[in-house]
Amino acid sequence: MSIVDSIAKRRTYYQLDKDLPVAEQEVVALVEKITELVPDAFNMKSARAVVVTGSRQDALWDAIYDAFGGKVAREKIDGFRAAYGTILYLYDTDVVKGLQERFPLYAANFPVWAQQANGMLQFSIWSGLRDLGVGANLQHYNPVIDEMVREMFDLPASWQLVAQMPFGGIVAEPDAKEKEDIRQRVRVIR
């Protein structure tokens, strides 16, 4: 399969269940390998991923609901809770700060570059999951849940939460993507 085919298959799947079509270890191995392979500026290796499954998956989404004091729909949270697991995406601010100190001319760029690398990691894992037949979606309940997640999973204080990716068995396919005139977003200049 080409990378374009892989990217084309990646979609936002909201209707997920705990019926993972592959062994959990295959998902973990994918996350580990892609985390190792995704590039970042100055080879800083700031991206972090935490794979949450089992009863901790359910507890995570119950705690996210509680963190919002009922201000998010329970049905929406229960949709994420119904997934097999969640990948938490973070970056290590200590790594970023260390590079800012070593390379002061680029200091303002390191947080941006860390976010870019994290985005590449998220997208690559998302596409890889789909190649395994696993559905996923990407959520952003941070910064409201940052401290709760750090405490719940005993994560270092320097790990900054960026996104949450529920993943699992695909219950229903999303609607077809609408075609667009890509020339509105891509220009070729000769």
Side-chain angles (χ1 to χ4, degrees):
M1 175 178 297
S2 77
I3 190 167
V4 173
D5 293 335
S6 181
I7 291 170
K9 278 179 48 180
R10 189 234 35 96
R11 299 292 309 279
T12 297
Y13 287 90
Y14 287 114
Q15 294 181 17
L16 302 170
D17 63 20
K18 295 190 186 313
D19 252 347
L20 201 60
V22 297
E24 180 180 308
Q25 188 50 42
E26 286 187 61
V27 171
V28 171
L30 175 86
V31 171
E32 289 173 345
K33 191 60 166 174
I34 291 176
T35 301
E36 180 183 6
L37 293 174
V38 166
D40 57 1
F42 286 70
N43 197 28
M44 71 173 119
K45 300 180 192 278
S46 64
R48 303 290 182 264
V50 176
V51 181
V52 181
T53 64
S55 64
R56 301 299 296 270
Q57 155 72 2
D58 296 345
L60 169 64
W61 287 100
D62 288 341
I64 290 173
Y65 178 78
D66 292 345
F68 281 88
K71 293 181 181 150
V72 294
R74 183 74 222 195
E75 298 79 24
K76 187 173 186 177
I77 296 297
D78 284 347
F80 306 136
R81 186 183 190 273
Y84 182 89
T86 298
I87 302 167
L88 302 173
Y89 293 95
L90 312 97
Y91 73 94
D92 191 337
T93 59
D94 283 349
V95 170
V96 172
K97 289 174 188 169
L99 285 164
Q100 287 175 310
E101 291 167 6
R102 286 182 49 212
F103 302 99
L105 289 175
Y106 298 105
N109 290 331
F110 283 109
V112 174
W113 292 335
Q115 290 282 3
Q116 290 171 346
N118 207 283
M120 288 189 289
L121 178 64
Q122 294 165 32
F123 186 76
S124 297
I125 290 174
W126 199 349
S127 297
L129 286 171
R130 189 61 189 94
D131 282 347
L132 293 176
V134 176
N137 60 73
L138 193 62
Q139 300 303 312
H140 301 90
Y141 284 92
N142 44 296
V144 176
I145 65 169
D146 289 6
E147 192 56 38
M148 175 273 297
V149 165
R150 194 174 290 114
E151 289 175 13
M152 179 178 261
F153 301 115
D154 194 29
L155 302 177
S158 63
W159 287 21
Q160 180 65 51
L161 185 62
V162 177
Q164 308 83 52
M165 182 178 285
F167 67 91
I170 297 169
V171 174
E173 290 291 328
D175 293 337
K177 284 186 179 180
E178 205 174 293
K179 274 295 197 191
E180 66 176 299
D181 178 3
I182 198 62
R183 292 172 294 170
Q184 297 298 316
R185 297 196 301 148
V186 178
R187 293 183 182 183
V188 177
I189 300 172
R190 293 182 173 92

